[in-house]
Structures are given as C-alpha cells and as structure tokens.
Amino acid sequence: MKLKLCFSALCAAALILLASPAAYADSYDLSLGSISIDSTASGQTVVQNGKTAVDQAPVITQKSAEATQNTISVHASSGSKAVLTLDGVNIDTSSASDNGSPVSVSGSGSVKLCFRSENTLMAGRVPGIEKSAGGWLEIAGEDDAVLNTTGSPGIGSGFMASGDHVRISSGTVNATGLSAAAGIGSCDGGSSFRYIEINGGNVTAVGGEYSAGIGGGGGCDGSFITINGGTVYAEGSAGAGIGGGFCGDNTGSGYNITINGGDVKAVGRFGGAGIGSGASFYGGTNHGGYNIRITGGTVTAIGEAGTATDGTPIYNGAAGIGGGGEYCFGRSISITGGEVTAAGNGGGAAIGGSRLGEGCTVKISKDAIVHAAMSVTSDGKYTGPCFGDGAGSDADGKEITPDYSALRKGGLVEFFDPDGKLLRSHSLDTPSGVLK
C-alpha cells in the first residue's frame, strides 16, 4: 500500500513539473519562420508558424548557415519579464521588402536578451535591435559570446521614433550605426533615445556619418548615459564618441552623462567631442556638452578633426570633453575619481569649449587624476587651453583654472602642450601648480 502511494506521489510530482511553464526551455529554429514572444503577468508564450508554445526561457537557434530574413519580436506587458536566448542566429533584413528590424522589443515590462556563441543582426534604415519606449531591455552574453548588430541605429530607436532604457551587462557587443544613426542610441529625423547603461562586457559602438557612437543620431541629442563598468569603445563621426549627434538648430547636445567605472575610450571624429556634443558649424550658443560627471574608471576622451582628400583638416575645433567643434560650449563638468586623459583639436579645449565655444570651471576633486592637453588651430596660429574657452578667430583660448578645493592626496592634474610636453602639474604636493 505504501509503495503504491509513493509511486502515485512521484507521478503527480512529475506531471506538475512537466506542466509548469518554468520547466520549458525549448529551442526554436529561426530559419523555419519568424518568432514572436509575448510576456504577461501570467506567463510567456512563443509563436512560430501559427503554433503557440508556453515557454519561459526559449532558445532561438538557426540550423541554416545562410542569413535569414525571418525576425524576432518581443513584447513584455506591464509587470512581466520576458526572457530569451540567441544562440548562433544570423539575420539580415537589409534587402527584405518590408525591411523590418531583425529584433524588436516593445512594452512597459522588462526584457532580458541573452546570447551564446556568435550572433549577427543586419538591418538597413531600421534598427538592428529596435527598442521602443517602455521597460528595460537588458542584453547579457556569456563570456565568449558575441553579438554583432548593424542598422539605423545598431541598437535603439529608428527614424522619427522615440525609445529608451537599454542596459548591457556582459558579453561582447559590437553595435554599428549606418548613415545618420548612432551605434547605440537614436537615428535622425528628430528621433530620441534616453537611458543607456553599460555595466560590464566588451562594448564597441561606432556611429554612422553625423552620429555619435553612443547617444544621438544626426541632429539629435544624446542624454542620460551611464557607464558603470566593462570595456567600452565609442566612436562618433561629426557626432560625439559619447553624447550628441551633429548639431541642428537646437539639437546635438550631449548631457547627463555619467561614468562611474570601466575602461572607456570615446573618440569624436570630424569635429565631434570625445564626450559631449556633436559638431556644429552653424553658429549660435544652443549646443554643447554639459552635466558630465566622471567618478571612477579609466577614461580617454579625444576630439579629432577630419581630413579632406588633400590632407587639409576639416570639421575641427572639438574639445575632448565638452563642446564639439565649433561654437559649442562645455559646462557643468566634474571629475571626482578615476584617471582621465583628454585632448581636443583645432583650438578646442581638452575639457571645456570647442573653438569659438565657451568653457567653464571644471571641478576636480578627491583622488582624481587628470591629464589634459592643449590643441592648436589648423593654421597653427592659436591654441586651445587645457581647461576653459576654446580659441577665438584671432586669439588663443582662455585657460580657466579648475576648482581644486576638494582635491585629496593622490589626486593630480597635469597640463600638456599640443606636442605632449608636460608644462605643469597640480596636487597637494605641488599646490602652486609648478612642475615638481
């Protein structure tokens, strides 16, 4: 009798386990058809070719080595969390008739997109991973996994669309924006994307023409960007490495940018600031990089000029941190920790305003270490400062002494000339600023 009861109990437990949605983690071959995932408070379903399955953690694979035009869409309702894993998918919708995004995420709930092995997402004038406004999308890969995503932008919101809340936690993520689109962020056409967070992994984000690596597409701001860890390389083209895209009449600024940790290199090519605003050559004072805080990590921020086919510098005058070239300001910049190296070009400040742009009093405190280099205008006549206002049309830029009042032992600020020669330093050991 006891044996029968035990056997019956085991059977009942097995049935419950099999019926539980959490027990499912099936794999789905994307080459057989597009997949849609819907998450609600009551569970998660996966639909492919008209068939619906209850699955809380689907793994999406692809048996065919050739790229597919089939796509993945995920919707998470309020209060729910969708989970899926990409394992070796290769999606290319760039030539598809409907030209949809390879992966699209929507809803006010949260989504965790995991990835294994190597995955490639290729789009055209739509995002590689489209994230509309709503809950957080977390992207997390295994240590040796790679996610390559290319589109307009690589990750973010499409043309004339708004989106927000992307977090990268682990794995290698390579995000590339096509023309007028950021690597991670927004596209052009007045689109916007806010709240980008990187906590770990190895992230490379390269913007297309007129766009930031991380932040704004052409003519768009880049804002509410936080880096807490990981290895990050961000490159803009007439947009900032991290911040705004190419400036329109009142757009292209980079603001509310915080770096708390990690190994970060941000390069703005063709006049974009390393960290701050994109390039602006229309005049005016409505563009700039501001509310930029660095509290830790190793940060390199470089504003670079472009070069014409004959070797002539073009689109120059950007700051390393602050305003893109020209006319762009750099304001409300503080460095309270970590080690920061910054350099502008073409008369832009290392930290502050671009050429013809206003700078500010940079606050440097605690144990921060800062290396700042002057730059010289393209005609070789005038210099941009380490900190302050960029060079004018007929004068050197104005050096504005940083606020050192809260600098602690271990903190150090170094001033370099355009050729990399150390001019002077400031620390508790050298309070006068004279090189010891």
Side-chain angles (χ1 to χ4, degrees):
M1 182 65 176
K2 288 183 179 180
L3 183 61
K4 289 183 179 179
L5 286 173
C6 290
F7 180 75
S8 298
L10 287 170
C11 289
L15 288 172
I16 291 172
L17 181 62
L18 289 172
S20 171
Y24 286 77
D26 286 346
S27 61
Y28 302 81
D29 183 359
L30 187 61
S31 61
L32 301 179
S34 294
I35 293 171
S36 62
I37 297 171
D38 186 51
S39 176
T40 66
S42 60
Q44 180 171 289
T45 58
V46 180
V47 179
Q48 185 179 35
N49 295 326
K51 296 180 180 180
T52 302
V54 177
D55 198 328
Q56 298 298 95
V59 178
I60 300 175
T61 63
Q62 190 173 324
K63 293 182 180 179
S64 172
E66 296 183 1
T68 179
Q69 293 183 353
N70 295 328
T71 60
I72 302 166
S73 62
V74 186
H75 181 84
S77 300
S78 178
S80 71
K81 182 175 182 178
V83 178
L84 69 153
T85 298
L86 306 183
D87 189 358
V89 303
N90 182 8
I91 306 172
D92 186 349
T93 64
S94 59
S95 62
S97 58
D98 60 357
N99 198 27
S101 291
V103 176
S104 58
V105 175
S106 62
S108 55
S110 63
V111 175
K112 185 170 185 178
L113 173 62
C114 306
F115 60 96
R116 306 171 185 164
S117 61
E118 184 168 0
N119 303 268
T120 300
L121 311 175
M122 173 68 73
R125 284 294 292 165
V126 295
I129 298 177
E130 182 176 23
K131 174 61 176 68
S132 61
W136 280 98
L137 165 63
E138 179 182 2
I139 299 174
E142 296 180 352
D143 289 344
D144 58 349
V146 179
L147 176 63
N148 302 308
T149 176
T150 301
S152 304
I155 301 171
S157 57
F159 182 72
M160 297 184 69
S162 297
D164 53 39
H165 291 101
V166 163
R167 174 185 296 125
I168 298 175
S169 299
S170 56
T172 296
V173 178
N174 301 314
T176 304
L178 301 178
S179 181
I184 302 172
S186 66
C187 191
D188 59 343
S191 65
S192 67
F193 198 92
R194 306 197 307 172
Y195 300 106
I196 299 168
E197 185 178 294
I198 299 174
N199 295 327
N202 191 330
V203 179
T204 298
V206 178
E209 293 178 322
Y210 308 110
S211 303
I214 299 174
C220 299
D221 292 346
S223 62
F224 298 94
I225 300 166
T226 301
I227 299 174
N228 295 315
T231 300
V232 179
Y233 176 78
E235 178 184 312
S237 179
I242 300 173
F246 188 81
C247 295
D249 289 339
N250 293 292
T251 58
S253 291
Y255 57 94
N256 294 351
I257 300 168
T258 302
I259 300 175
N260 297 317
D263 187 348
V264 180
K265 183 174 183 179
V267 179
R269 302 193 189 282
F270 292 93
I275 301 172
S277 76
S280 172
F281 298 93
Y282 299 121
T285 58
N286 296 322
H287 330 281
Y290 59 99
N291 292 349
I292 299 170
R293 296 191 315 134
I294 299 173
T295 69
T298 301
V299 180
T300 302
I302 308 295
E304 289 190 355
T307 305
T309 53
D310 63 357
T312 303
I314 56 174
Y315 295 123
N316 58 39
I321 300 174
E326 300 169 322
Y327 303 101
C328 293
F329 61 79
R331 299 175 185 158
S332 299
I333 301 170
S334 66
I335 304 171
T336 62
E339 183 170 3
V340 177
T341 301
N345 76 84
I351 303 178
S354 69
R355 179 177 178 271
L356 306 178
E358 293 183 353
C360 64
T361 300
V362 178
K363 293 183 178 181
I364 304 175
S365 61
K366 300 181 182 179
D367 58 353
I369 298 173
V370 180
H371 316 282
M374 302 169 67
S375 72
V376 63
T377 56
S378 57
D379 59 10
K381 294 182 178 179
Y382 307 108
T383 56
C386 291
F387 304 90
D389 302 341
S393 57
D394 57 359
D396 291 336
K398 177 184 177 183
E399 187 80 53
I400 300 176
T401 302
D403 179 355
Y404 305 123
S405 60
L407 197 66
R408 297 176 183 170
K409 191 172 182 63
L412 174 67
V413 182
E414 294 184 324
F415 298 71
F416 293 85
D417 73 7
D419 296 322
K421 178 183 178 182
L422 181 63
L423 300 175
R424 64 187 186 277
S425 65
H426 184 100
S427 69
L428 293 185
D429 296 326
T430 57
S432 64
V434 178
L435 180 61
K436 186 176 178 180

